[in-house]
Every structure is written in C-alpha cells, then in structure tokens.
C-alpha cells in the first residue's frame, strides 16, 4: 500500500495544476450544490422550517376570562398530549381608525396581546426592530422584517391614536409566524385596556392533521367550562394561507436548485474523468513497472480524491457562507423569517458524502477502462491514432479560407468527442441558466413594476379631524393639478377605492375607479385576456378575483352602492390591480353612472405619480410637502423583497454556475494542452506564433461556447416559458403577455455571446500558457 | 521505396541563397541549465550551401546548439545570427516569423500532426504563412511528388511507415523554401533501409544548394551527407574538419 500512496502523492505533487483545477472545480461545484440543495430545502418546507425555528403555536386559543380563570388555564399545560404552552396572556381587540396611524399599515380591528417578553416555550417572537414594550403607552407591531441589509419600511416611535382609549408609541417591530397577535403591549398595559379574553398558545405532541389538533384541543377544554373557549385557530390554517403566497416563489427556487445541481455534477464528472483519461500513459508505465491493475486503480483514485476531498470540505464551508444571506433573502421572499436561515444539516451531510462519491464514480469509469488495458495499450492510448468523422471534419476545415490557427482550433473539439460532449453539456447548462436567470429577472421586475401601482411616488391627502397631521384643503382635482405642475412629474393616475355589494354574492367587492394617465402608466400592460376598458360601464378584473367569484371575460355584473344598482361588463382580465386586495378596475366615469350622488373626500384618493427619468424622488417628496403640508407623499419606487430575492438569487447562482462552467472549460483546455504538447511544440517550430497558438486554443473552446449558446438559449427560453406560467398558476394569477415576451433581439444577442464569453474566459489562461510552452523542452522530451 | 533523384524541379523547392554567404554565425555561445553548462563558448559559422554535421557524445550540447540556431531556445550569453538576423533581438513572435521564413526542421520522431493526412501536414506550414489552402496544398503535393510519396498524400501519419513519415516531415520543412534545413537525428528512429532513403534525400537537397545542419550520432549519415564535421565535447567545439562525401 505504501508504494501506492507514495506514487499517488508524487503524482499529485507533479500535477499541481491539474490537482488545483480538480480542487477548485470540486470546491465551486460543492458550494453551488450546497446553495442549490439549500434552496430546494427552502422551497420544499419553508413554513415548517420557520415554524420549528419559532416554535410556533399549533393552536392559538382565546378563552372568555369571565368563564375560566388563569389558574385553570395554566393547569392545561399538564394535560397529556400538550407538549408546551405559553400564556395566559390578556387579549383585547382595539379598533384603530383610518387616521389613527396614518403612516403605517395599521388600521381597523387589531388584536393586542399583553406579553412580558417575546420568548417562551411557544411562539418565540422575532423582535427584529426596536425593543419590547415594557411601559405604559408602548406597543410592538407584528410585521414581516425586511430582507437582510435593507432598511425597515416601518418607522419607530410612530404614534397610534385610538379614539377614546389611548395613544401608543411604536417601540418595536416583531414577527410571529402563526400570527398570535397584531400587536403586543406589556401585561400591565394590556390589563389597563380592559381585556376581553385570555390567550393561550399550545403545542401538542401530535399535530400533523386537523383531527390530531381537534383531539388535542378536546383534551385541553375537557375539564374547562363548556363555553370557555371563545375561538381557536389551528396552525394548519395559517400554513394553508401562507402556501398561496410562497407558492409564487417555489418553482423559481426549484428551477435554480436543479440547474445548479445538474451543472455542478456534470462538470465534476468531466474534470475528474478527464484527469484519469489524460493519465493513461502514466497508467501504462505504472503497469510496466509491475503495479497490479488494482494498485493502479488505487493510485488514480487517491490522486483525484485528495484534491476532491479538500475541495469538497472547503466548498461545503463556502456554500454555507454563501447560502446564508441568499436563503435569508429567499425566506423573506416567502414572507417568513426563520431566524436562522442557514443551510440545514442534511444538506452538509449529503454533500460531504455525495460529492466524494461522485468524484470516485467519475474517476472509476475511465480508471476501470485503464484497468482492463494492457500496459502497452495504455501507454499508446494517449497518442493512439484516431479515425472517423472527427478527422474528416478537421480535413475539411484545413481546406477552408479560415486562418489556419482558427481552422485548427475549430477542429480540436472533434479529437476528443467524449470530453467535448461533457464540456459542451456544461456550457449548454451554463448558458441555459444565464438565459433563464435573465428572463426571470426581467419577468420578476416587470411583474413587480406592473403590480406596484406603476408609480414611483404615492400621494394622499391627510384625513380631516386628525390630531397628528394637518388636513389638506385642496379638492381632488386641485391636488391632481398641483402634482402635474410640480417639476419632475411625468404621469399621474388618480385611484379611488370603494366597496360595493356584488348582487348575487354575499361578500362585498372592492372597485377601483381610475382616471388620469391610466393608459400610459402600465395598467393595460398587465392584460392577460380580453381588452382594456374603453368606455363607461366596462371593467377589467384581476385573475384572482375572477377565479374566486367564478367570473369570466364577457360577464355582466351588477354592483350596488348607496341603495342604487348598476351593471358593468367585464371586458378584460388583468394580472393584478393597484396594491392591496384584488378589486374590479373601472373608469372614473363609471362611478358617475353607478353612484352619481356619492360624496367623496380628498383623502379617499390615492394619486399615483410616475416621475420623469432621472428625477430625484426624495426631492419630489419634499416638494409635495412644501406645496401643501396637508399632503402626504411616500416613496413607492423601491423594489419589493420578492424581486430582490429572485434577482439576487438569479445573479448569485448565475455567477457561481458561470464560474464552475468556466473552470470546466479551463480544465478541458489544460488537458488538451497537456495532450497536445508535442503538437503545439511542432506547430511553434514551424512558425506558429504565440498569438496563433492562443487563438487556436481559445477558438477550440469558443466554438463549443457558440454552439452551447445556440443550444442553451432556446433551452433557457423554454424553461422560462414553462416555469413562469407554473409560478403564475401557483399564485392564482394569469400570465400577462409582457411577462413572457421578455426577449429582445439585443438581449438574445448578448445571451448568445454568454456561452462564448464563458468558454473564452475559461480557455484564455491555459491557452496563454500553451503559447508559452518551451518548444525545445517539449520536443526534446519526446 | 527508392529515394527520389535530384532534379531541376526539385531545386525549386529550396531557397535561392547564393553560395558562400554566412548563413549561421555563433559567437561565444553559452547555455546553462541551472548548474549544468550545455554550451560553453561555441563559436561557429555555416556558409550557404554547406552541409554541416554536428557530432559528439550524449549531453555534449548538440541538440542545444540546434535549438539555439532554430530560435527554439535562448542562449545564456553570446549571440546567434542567422541570415543576418540576430535572434537575441527577436521576441517570441519575431522568432516564430523567423522560423516560418528561414528555418526548416526535421526531428527524430517526425512530429507530424496525427489528426491531419500527409498532404495537410505539409500544407500546414504554408497556410501558417498566409498562403491560401488551395495553393498550399498544390505546393505540398508537388513536394510529396518530388519526394516520391504523392500516392500516400491522404494517409494519416499513424498508417505511414517511418521512412514515409520522415519524408513527409522533410516536405513540410521545405514548404516555405527555408534558408537553413536543421535535422536532429533524422535517421535515429528509422530502420536501416528507411534511414538510407532519408540520407539520400538530404544529400540530394544539399547538392542542389540547400544549406544543411545535421545533428547526429550516426557516423554514416555524417560522412555521407555532410561536407564539414563539427565535433562537440562538454559543450565546446572539440574539432572541426572538412569531409569528403562517401560515394
């Protein structure tokens, strides 16, 4: 065994470049695989992961404090089947008026719970901004944190007024996955608010199904007064609700994960098997020296396993480091904050076992072939004459008008069809990934732009009667005129949101009346089916609402407001409307027909302003406030966390896969150079310049890159075409044509270049080193 | 297969230098590889039309000297001037262009490209200089024809005999009408019959004016083809004499 080890060690030392390449390829591939598997894990069980991290409540229960005492509720923790409890907590529902927290997302009925701290055995709340509420008048609001590195969109120290009750100061923002409250205050503050119920949070030993949860709750309430339980919410309901949102994200993550996995494995296989094949002559010499076939096999396995093992360990570390912010972003995109967004342990275990197995397998296949060859055959295998189509192509190329260095380079890939195929596959997958990522980024940003209200600035009038803000005295049309007159304004759409009864349905429906620059501000771009409204009495409805209400384009629906009914015709289906719950979109003139007597106040309107290119958003906001202190203008141009997550994912994985692919190409050129040292020396001896040698070697890979580009682009486009509708379906939205037609000729041209660039970048360094080969040494060594 | 006879058309393959000009001038040439001195102050001149054989024991610096003259390696000190061009002044690209125009090389192991048939191996040298493919092939075919292996033009090197391969290599070396033909053990890998053919070929080439520098262990080759013998020992010129060609 010592002879095997000594020989392998010497071979590793002698082949430093090859050892380094194997190590680097395995390192980057492993890192990519760790990130890819982490993404697959995130996409397959994001809720479970976040739920486990927060020790979410299986049941959030509210008890009537007049029917059951806190001592009785505390004793429920001892009931068999109850794993852990949190509570009792005083709970009260406060009604925050629309002007109570004018600048935050908070209004309407909110559940406020008194908790001394965010920790505990159940529902470990993530306090991500500010501090916990400890004193009177302090409140912590429940909100999803922003993506890592991005500032919070919610201000601290905001005042919230509640008519007739109290005024609070927001001292922190926290997040409870199971939504145990809308806001938290200290227990003393909760007591002062005259709580109406007592909250208990339960975790059960068995809670996988609704039946098990019902059984758990039956055990809990069994010894309590029959009407003590006011309400109970299972985590399964929250999970189901969460699935509709995160569903948008899952196919993106999976597609990237699978692409990363396949490309990385292919390249590891290519590099390792190439290293063994290039060592056939060495294998023959070892056999001639008296090494048994098994010993030769062992030498080669050790040779590739040493750098492979080191690369695997370092790659796992790098993958974990790279995955953390990436997965953090991904979870944010899913709307979860799992606290620890690191790679799960199983990914590290699978990678640390799987990658070495792939390395061994990739080495084993050609090594077994060498194992079967006689010493003489192995020695001559590296320089054996080749025949067939490859040679015919090379001959044909030599007769073309191309410069000889170019035609020789174009012929090189045909000399080693197996290696060329593997390298080509890697380039194809690389280009497919780049294409898919580019299309996806365009789609996602297009989607975000389209559904972001198509504005950069939103403006509202402060409501009258507010103690906190000065109301505006301007009318709706005066505000519109004011905004249009401000420097930097490009377009303005005025948006009025009213709730109507939908005749034939028990639930009301939101109707958004638009006027202004609707046509040029992106709304019609969101059309999925039908056409945009062209006259009063026509409406366009978001896909989600159409499905929920069982409507279709062409339907005529009757709406009722203020006791007056009117009909509108659905003429188009759109992806989504302005921010908020989906609503029917109609022209402002339609309101005049449906509710001509409706009195409207200026604060009911949202003015969506699109700024001219290059306009300073913050300067514009200041200008609005200066023009009328009664107006509240806010920056609405920021990209949402979903876009940030997808685009950052796309960029990072594309970069990693591009690096791995370029390393694969690098390795192929290194091997080709080594195999062709004699040929290169001869070519230089008859007058081939270093530049021509570089051109020849780079051309050989650029050709693969060009073909890879031509194959990878349609594959990437197909993946985009296939996955985007899946995403849309998961999110219950139709696919607007603009989301699929993201391919511009110049973009496709750039993508076609991507394969060539990856190949050329990978080939350039070894090609330069080939050009610098010492002819005297190479030819003399023969 | 008999060696081709020297003919007037064969003469058109070689350079048109007038006899007597100094083609190669080595001045105090020294080459060290680490602690080893391969060449130790070699001074030598080769005139146009000469056939010089360099002989000596293994490791005496024969091949190193050949490499210096071909511009494949650079001296530690001293100068190499070929056809009036001091090679030390040339960069890598300049050396490549110099080899392309001025030098033809024949190696012991032929160094043909396995992926190209005989004709394209020869034409390659012409194509590298920018001669169009068709024209290069035409000249390559003429050369192969003169060397008696035109019928083997479409055969790949692996299927050629050693002698045929070396003749293809000679044809390639002559493709650009070099001022100097360098041959490093040109018969070293051939059997005696093929070796004889190559010797005849080199003799014919020199007789029609091709300047020739042979590096060899083969006394027979030297006495048959060379007009002057230079003996190297320990990196120095140990002796030099004019040869009478064997009949």
């Amino acid at each position: 065994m010592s002879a095997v080890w000594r020989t392998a060690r010497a071979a590793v030392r002698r082949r430093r470049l090859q050892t380094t390449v194997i190590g680097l390829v395995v390192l980057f591939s492993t890192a990519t695989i760790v990130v890819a598997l982490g993404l697959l894990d995130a996409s397959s069980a994001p809720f479970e992961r976040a739920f486990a991290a927060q020790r979410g409540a299986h049941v959030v229960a509210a008890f009537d404090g007049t029917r059951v005492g806190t001592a009785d509720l505390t004793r429920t923790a001892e009931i068999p089947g109850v794993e852990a409890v949190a509570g009792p907590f005083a709970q009260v529902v406060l009604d925050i008026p629309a002007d109570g927290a004018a600048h935050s997302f908070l209004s309407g009925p909110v559940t406020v719970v008194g908790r001394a701290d965010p920790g505990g055995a159940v529902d470990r709340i993530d306090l991500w901004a500010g501090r916990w509420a400890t004193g009177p008048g302090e409140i912590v609001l429940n909100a999803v944190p922003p993506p890592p590195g991005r500032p919070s969109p919610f201000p601290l120290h905001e005042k919230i007024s509640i008519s007739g009750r109290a005024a609070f100061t927001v001292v922190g923002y926290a997040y409870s996955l199971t939504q145990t409250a809308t806001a938290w205050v200290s227990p003393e503050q909760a007591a002062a608010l005259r709580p109406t119920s007592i909250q208990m949070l339960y975790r059960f030993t068995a809670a996988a199904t609704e039946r098990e949860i019902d059984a758990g709750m039956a055990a809990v309430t069994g010894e309590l007064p029959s009407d003590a339980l006011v309400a109970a919410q299972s985590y399964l309901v929250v999970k189901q609700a969460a699935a509709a949102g995160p569903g948008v994200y899952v196919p993106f993550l999976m597609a990237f994960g699978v692409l990363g996995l396949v490309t990385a494995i292919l390249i590891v296989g290519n590099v390792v098997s190439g290293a063994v094949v290039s060592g056939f002559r060495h294998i023959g010499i070892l056999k001639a020296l008296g090494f048994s076939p098994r010993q030769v096999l062992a030498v080669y396995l050790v040779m590739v396993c040493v750098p492979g093992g080191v690369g695997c360990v370092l790659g796992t570390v790098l993958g974990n480091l790279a995955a953390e912010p990436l997965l953090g972003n991904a979870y944010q995109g899913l709307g979860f904050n799992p606290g620890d967004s690191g790679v799960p342990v199983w990914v590290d275990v699978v990678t640390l076992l799987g990658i070495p197995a792939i390395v061994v397998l990739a080495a084993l296949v050609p090594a077994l072939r060498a194992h079967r060859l006689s010493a003489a055959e192995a020695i001559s295998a590296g320089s054996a004459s080749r025949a067939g189509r490859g040679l015919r192509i090379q001959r044909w190329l030599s007769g073309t008008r191309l410069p000889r260095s170019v035609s020789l380079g174009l012929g090189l890939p045909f000399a080693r069809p197996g290696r060329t195929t593997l390298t080509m596959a890697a380039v194809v997958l690389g280009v497919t990934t780049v294409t898919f990522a580019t299309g996806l980024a365009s789609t996602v940003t297009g989607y975000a732009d389209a559904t972001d209200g198509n504005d950069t600035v939103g403006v509202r009038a402060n409501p009258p009667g507010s103690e906190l803000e000065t109301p505006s005295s301007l009318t709706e049309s005066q505000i519109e005129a004011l905004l249009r007159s401000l420097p930097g304004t490009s377009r303005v759409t005025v948006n009025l949101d009213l709730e109507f009864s939908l005749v034939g349905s028990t639930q009301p429906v939101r109707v958004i009346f638009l006027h202004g620059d609707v046509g040029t501000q992106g709304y019609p771009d969101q059309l999925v089916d039908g056409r945009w409204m062209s006259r009063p009495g026509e409406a366009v409805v978001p896909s989600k609402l159409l499905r929920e209400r069982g409507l279709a384009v062409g339907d005529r629906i009757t709406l009722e407001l203020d006791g007056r009914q009117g009909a509108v015709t659905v003429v188009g289906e759109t992806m989504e409307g302005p921010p908020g719950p989906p609503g029917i979109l109609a022209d402002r003139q339609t309101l005049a027909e449906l509710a001509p007597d409706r009195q409207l106040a200026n604060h009911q309107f949202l003015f969506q302003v699109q700024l001219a290119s290059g306009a300073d958003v913050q300067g514009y906001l200041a200008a609005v406030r200066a023009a009328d202190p009664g107006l509240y203008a806010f920056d609405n141009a920021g990209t949402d966390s979903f876009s940030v997550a997808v685009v950052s994912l796309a960029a990072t994985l594309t970069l990693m896969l591009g690096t791995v692919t370029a390393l694969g190409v690098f390795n192929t050129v290194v091997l080709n150079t080594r195999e062709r040292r004699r040929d290169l020396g001869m070519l230089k001896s008859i007058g081939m310049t270093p530049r021509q040698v570089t051109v020849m070697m780079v051309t050989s890979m650029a050709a693969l890159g060009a073909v890879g580009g031509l194959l990878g682009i349609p594959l990437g486009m197909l993946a985009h075409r296939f996955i985007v509708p899946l995403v849309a379906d998961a999110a219950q939205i139709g696919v607007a044509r603009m989301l699929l037609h993201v391919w511009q000729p110049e973009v496709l041209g750039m993508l076609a270049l991507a394969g060539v660039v990856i190949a050329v970048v990978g080939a350039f360094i070894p090609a330069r080193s080939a050009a610098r080969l010492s002819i005297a040494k190479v030819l003399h060594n023969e | 297969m008999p060696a081709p006879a020297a003919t007037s058309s064969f003469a058109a393959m070689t350079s048109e230098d007038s006899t007597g000009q100094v083609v190669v001038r080595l001045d105090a040439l020294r080459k060290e590889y680490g602690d080893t001195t391969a060449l130790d102050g070699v001074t030598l001149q080769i005139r146009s039309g000469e056939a010089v054989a360099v002989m000596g024991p293994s490791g005496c610096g024969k091949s190193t000297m050949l490499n210096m003259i071909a511009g494949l390696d650079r001296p530690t000190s001293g100068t190499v001037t070929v056809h009036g061009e001091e090679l030390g002044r040339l960069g890598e690209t300049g050396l490549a262009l110099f080899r392309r125009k001025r030098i033809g090389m024949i190696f012991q192991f032929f160094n043909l490209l396995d992926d190209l048939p005989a004709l394209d191996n020869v034409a390659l040298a012409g194509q590298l200089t920018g001669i169009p493919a068709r024209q290069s092939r035409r000249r390559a075919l003429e050369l192969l024809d003169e060397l008696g292996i035109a019928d083997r033009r479409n055969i790949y090197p692996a299927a050629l005999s050693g002698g045929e391969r070396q003749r293809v290599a000679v044809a390639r070396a002559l493709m650009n009408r070099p001022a100097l033909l360098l041959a490093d053990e040109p018969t070293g890998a051939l059997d005696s019959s093929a070796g004889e053919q190559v010797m005849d070929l080199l003799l014919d080439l020199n007789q029609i004016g091709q300047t020739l520098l042979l590096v060899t262990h083969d006394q027979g080759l030297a006495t048959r083809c060379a007009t002057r013998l230079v003996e190297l020992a320990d990196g120095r010129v140990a002796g030099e004499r004019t040869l009478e060609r064997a009949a």
Side-chain angles (χ1 to χ4, degrees), chain A residues 395 398 676 682 684 692, chain B residues 99-100 111 115 127 154:
Chain A
R395 181 138 198 227
S398 73
R676 292 184 169 269
M682 185 281 291
K684 289 181 77 176
Q692 284 176 312
Chain B
R99 282 193 294 272
R100 198 185 278 179
N111 286 332
D115 303 335
Q127 286 176 285
N154 292 326

Side-chain angles (χ1 to χ4, degrees), chain A residues 454 491-493 514-526 532-533 587 610:
Chain A
N454 315 301
R491 299 184 181 92
V492 179
T493 291
L514 304 166
H515 84 270
D517 302 321
V518 184
T520 54
Q521 214 163 321
Y523 280 101
D525 292 341
Q526 300 180 44
W532 192 250
M533 52 219 177
D587 187 81
Q610 204 171 60

Side-chain angles (χ1 to χ4, degrees), chain A residues 85-100:
Chain A
V85 299
F89 303 127
Q91 177 175 300
V92 60
V93 176
L94 300 178
D95 191 19
I96 298 186
D99 60 343

Side-chain angles (χ1 to χ4, degrees), chain B residues 63-129:
Chain B
S63 293
T64 303
M65 191 174 90
L66 191 85
N67 289 338
M68 300 291 160
I69 295 169
L72 302 182
D73 209 348
R74 291 176 186 275
T76 308
S77 64
T79 58
V80 181
T81 309
V82 179
H83 220 263
E85 191 120 52
E86 195 191 319
L87 303 192
R89 295 177 188 273
L90 300 177
E92 281 304 308
T93 302
L95 285 173
L97 297 176
F98 155 75
R99 282 193 294 272
R100 198 185 278 179
K101 289 178 186 166
R102 305 284 184 212
I103 302 288
M105 285 196 81
I106 307 166
F107 303 93
Q108 180 178 359
F109 294 106
F110 329 121
N111 286 332
L112 300 175
L113 288 183
D114 293 333
D115 303 335
L116 298 177
L119 182 72
D120 287 341
N121 258 291
V122 179
L124 180 64
Q127 286 176 285
L128 279 178
T129 64

